């Protein structure tokens, strides 16, 4: 299914076709999410092409950004690995078909069972702290082989613009703090005593981290690896550089690109490209954000205190982050008419509200948009990562359906159900049962 449409054109075709094919039925399914199947292939190809051939690299997609099994399966098909941080994500990665050799397990709170399973199966593991290291010691002492095991360092290079997304501050909860008194020596001694510790992991943070800060963290990991190798040549097999390439939510084009990231890393940490170290990356948001969108019918419109408000079905249940922290996570909202064509109505300042019963459930505040009317469609682009794939169960709103789409020659759009709409019966089933003893 090849075509050369830009992302925006593919999205416009998909919205129009979704209406024509009854996927946004105002009576039954007023909200749905869409995944750009060709977009995923293109993004994966760009990622693979951005890294030089001389470097052995595994791009382990951070599953938390979009843990849907069919999405993970597409990424596997296009040559990626998978980074997981919980038993659920590990099971999703396995269900998508990832072999253990392409899976990396992080998480700051791995249980004994998770550690034992990962070591047993040869899944790469990044240890968060000295206590976890002692647990792994006990498993190794019991005879489990330790392959692809590393330690996450916190290079303490500083915070980005969103503190909750910054993982390399002075007191951040992740990893071993390299600038704290004694830690560097203690960790060097730990590597010296354990020849099986062969990786170094760093993840400076997610959205809001400048590329230079990210690269400074990676450079710190490389420096540490060189110190380990100075004591025992060749001990460090590779560096896991984490993810955190920011996404520009204000436009359709990717910026920065994977190639931009590689260019900054080449400056800050040239040894990463020398051919002696393997590399793992853990990009999440930058792989999927622009390959998904949410579309909702407008149910009603009204004016309150002089403010035009459109009440639609895309709110906190599919866009929790932007609803609760709108300044950190602004999203575009695009207006389409009831037939799914870009709206040509006059511009007006409006709020676009979701269906949840709290006043802050807005995906756009005082936004100048074509004047919305009942049955029009609002599209929230750039929501392929961390939005509809990690829904919020507030108000018992069901998970909307997710469709993959492909636009072929002649603009025929084919949809594939990636996740069926959650039924009301399923909502009831996940809400518990009064046990016989309490009846
Ligand atoms: C969340 C996370 C990632 C992915 O971050 P993005 O900003 O989505 O690229 C990678 N590695 C680790 C350890 C993470 O926690």
């Amino acid at each position: 299914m090849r075509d050369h449409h830009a992302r925006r054109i593919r999205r416009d075709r998909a919205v129009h076709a979704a209406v024509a094919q009854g996927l946004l039925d105002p009576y039954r399914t007023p909200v749905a999410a869409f995944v750009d199947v060709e977009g995923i292939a293109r993004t994966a190809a760009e990622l693979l092409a951005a890294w030089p051939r001389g470097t052995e690299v595994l791009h382990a997609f951070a599953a938390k950004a979009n843990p849907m099994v069919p999405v993970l399966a597409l990424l596997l098909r296009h040559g990626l690995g998978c980074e997981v941080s919980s038993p659920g994500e590990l099971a999703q990665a396995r269900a998508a078909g990832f072999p253990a050799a392409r899976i990396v397990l992080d998480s700051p709170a791995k249980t004994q069972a998770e550690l034992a399973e990962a070591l047993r199966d040869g899944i790469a593991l990044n240890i968060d702290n000295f206590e976890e290291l002692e647990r792994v010691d006990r498993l190794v002492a019991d005879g489990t082989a330790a392959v692809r095991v590393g330690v996450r360092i916190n290079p303490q290079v500083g915070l980005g613009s969103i503190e909750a997304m910054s993982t390399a501050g002075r007191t951040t909860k992740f990893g071993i703090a390299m600038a704290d008194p004694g830690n560097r020596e203690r960790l060097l001694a730990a590597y010296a005593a354990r020849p099986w510790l062969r990786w170094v992991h760093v993840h400076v943070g997610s959205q809001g981290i400048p590329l230079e800060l990210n690269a400074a963290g990676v450079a710190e990991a490389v420096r540490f690896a060189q110190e380990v190798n100075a004591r025992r040549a060749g001990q460090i097999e590779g560096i896991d550089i984490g993810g955190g390439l920011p996404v520009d939510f204000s436009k359709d084009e990717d910026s920065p690109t994977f190639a931009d990231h590689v260019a900054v890393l080449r400056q800050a940490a040239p040894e990463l490209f020398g051919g002696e170290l393997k590399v793992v990356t853990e990009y999440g948001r930058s792989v999927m954000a622009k390959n998904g969108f949410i579309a909702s019918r407008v149910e009603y419109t009204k004016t309150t205190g002089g403010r035009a408000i459109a009440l639609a079905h895309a709110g906190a249940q599919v866009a929790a982050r932007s609803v609760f922290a709108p300044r950190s996570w602004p999203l575009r909202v695009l207006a389409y008419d009831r037939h799914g064509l870009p709206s040509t109505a006059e511009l007006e300042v409006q709020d676009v509200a979701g269906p949840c019963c709290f006043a802050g459930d807005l995906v756009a505040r005082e936004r100048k948009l074509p004047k919305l009317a009942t049955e029009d469609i609002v599209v929230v682009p750039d929501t392929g990562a961390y939005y509809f794939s990690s829904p919020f169960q507030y108000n018992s709103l069901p998970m909307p359906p997710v469709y993959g789409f492909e636009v072929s020659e002649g603009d025929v759009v084919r949809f594939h159900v990636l996740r069926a709409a959650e039924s009301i019966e399923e909502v009831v089933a996940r809400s518990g049962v009064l046990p016989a003893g309490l009846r």
Side-chain angles (χ1 to χ4, degrees):
M1 197 71 32
R2 288 173 52 80
D3 82 6
H4 301 281
H5 289 320
R7 192 172 266 145
R8 178 183 61 77
I9 297 175
R10 288 200 300 274
R11 182 176 61 230
D12 284 352
R13 299 281 187 275
V15 174
H16 189 226
V19 172
Q21 298 181 33
L23 304 184
L24 287 166
D25 182 308
Y27 295 93
R28 281 180 298 274
T29 51
V31 59
F34 297 87
V35 168
D36 182 349
V37 172
E38 182 186 336
I40 289 178
R42 285 173 180 261
T43 302
E46 279 162 26
L47 172 55
L48 266 56
W51 282 75
R53 292 228 166 272
T55 307
E56 190 179 327
V57 49
L58 172 68
H59 295 295
F61 172 69
K64 75 174 183 283
N66 190 324
M68 291 179 53
V69 170
V71 167
L72 297 180
L74 287 171
L75 293 169
L76 168 63
R77 187 206 289 172
H78 294 303
L80 273 61
C82 194
E83 183 266 350
V84 301
S85 287
S86 71
E89 288 177 3
L90 175 56
Q92 286 164 319
R94 288 187 195 267
F98 285 98
R102 299 188 79 77
I103 302 178
V104 178
L105 174 66
D106 292 329
S107 152
K110 300 174 209 78
T111 62
Q112 321 235 24
E114 284 175 80
L115 289 171
E117 179 185 346
L119 283 185
R120 184 197 66 208
D121 292 354
I123 289 168
L125 191 72
N126 288 311
I127 292 168
D128 178 81
N129 56 67
F130 287 114
E131 288 190 8
E132 188 182 345
L133 184 57
E134 284 173 21
R135 275 195 181 169
V136 174
D137 279 344
R138 285 196 287 277
L139 291 164
V140 171
D142 289 346
T144 314
V147 291
R148 300 198 300 144
V149 179
V151 174
R152 178 167 178 168
I153 63 160
N154 174 358
Q156 291 167 301
V157 289
L159 303 174
S161 64
I162 309 174
E163 191 174 341
M165 296 291 120
S166 302
T167 54
R170 190 173 59 81
T171 62
T172 304
K173 76 169 181 178
F174 294 106
I176 290 179
M178 296 305 273
D180 280 15
N183 269 358
R184 192 181 194 88
E185 276 311 312
R186 189 174 168 197
L187 193 58
L188 279 170
Y191 271 80
R194 296 170 183 78
W196 47 266
L197 270 183
R198 302 201 56 201
W199 283 78
V200 180
H201 179 219
V202 66
H203 172 66
V204 173
S206 294
Q207 191 70 10
I209 306 289
L211 286 188
E212 289 68 24
L213 192 65
N214 174 302
V218 174
E220 181 58 32
V222 171
R223 231 182 337 269
F224 180 74
Q226 288 173 320
E227 282 177 57
V228 173
N229 281 346
R231 298 188 180 195
R232 186 186 286 113
Q235 179 169 345
I236 299 300
E237 189 181 335
I239 312 284
D240 180 337
I241 69 164
L245 186 64
V247 166
D248 185 343
F249 288 95
S250 71
K251 58 179 197 279
D252 283 325
E253 289 68 37
D254 292 303
S255 82
T257 62
F258 297 115
D260 294 335
H261 190 204
V262 170
V264 174
L265 288 171
R266 272 187 188 281
Q267 285 288 324
E271 304 84 358
L272 204 56
F273 302 90
E276 268 128 51
L277 290 169
K278 295 181 186 170
V279 174
V280 167
T281 73
E282 302 171 345
Y283 297 108
R285 180 178 294 103
S286 50
V287 173
M288 279 305 297
K290 295 201 175 288
N291 289 318
F293 67 87
I294 301 163
S296 166
R297 292 277 183 179
V298 173
E299 194 70 51
Y300 301 106
T301 62
K302 63 180 176 184
T303 305
T304 296
R307 176 80 48 83
I309 304 173
L311 300 164
H313 294 275
Q317 91 280 27
V318 286
R321 206 163 249 177
S322 295
V323 166
F324 288 113
R327 259 182 273 277
S328 296
W329 301 99
L331 287 168
R332 289 178 292 160
V333 172
L334 310 171
Y336 291 72
D337 67 18
R338 57 198 299 273
H339 306 293
L341 295 170
S343 175
T344 53
E346 259 185 62
L347 295 180
E348 191 181 76
V349 173
Q350 300 161 78
D351 284 358
V352 181
C356 299
C357 294
F358 64 96
D361 186 30
L362 305 170
V363 287
R365 294 159 200 256
E366 296 187 75
R367 199 76 68 82
K368 207 170 202 185
L369 294 169
K371 171 78 180 126
L372 290 161
T374 296
E375 292 203 6
D376 277 358
I377 290 167
V378 289
V379 165
V380 191
D382 309 331
T383 48
Y386 301 101
Y387 285 96
F388 56 80
S389 58
S390 18
F392 176 42
Q393 298 185 348
Y394 198 84
N395 273 146
S396 297
L397 287 158
M399 293 191 287
V402 180
Y403 300 101
F405 67 90
E406 294 176 292
V407 185
S408 63
E409 312 280 329
D411 291 339
V412 177
V413 183
R414 276 183 57 199
F415 292 99
H416 309 267
V417 178
L418 302 186
R419 186 181 77 196
E422 192 178 28
S423 69
I424 296 303
E425 292 71 33
E426 288 169 314
V427 171
V428 174
R430 68 158 141 92
S431 54
V433 178
L434 184 68
L438 291 177
R439 270 183 213 145

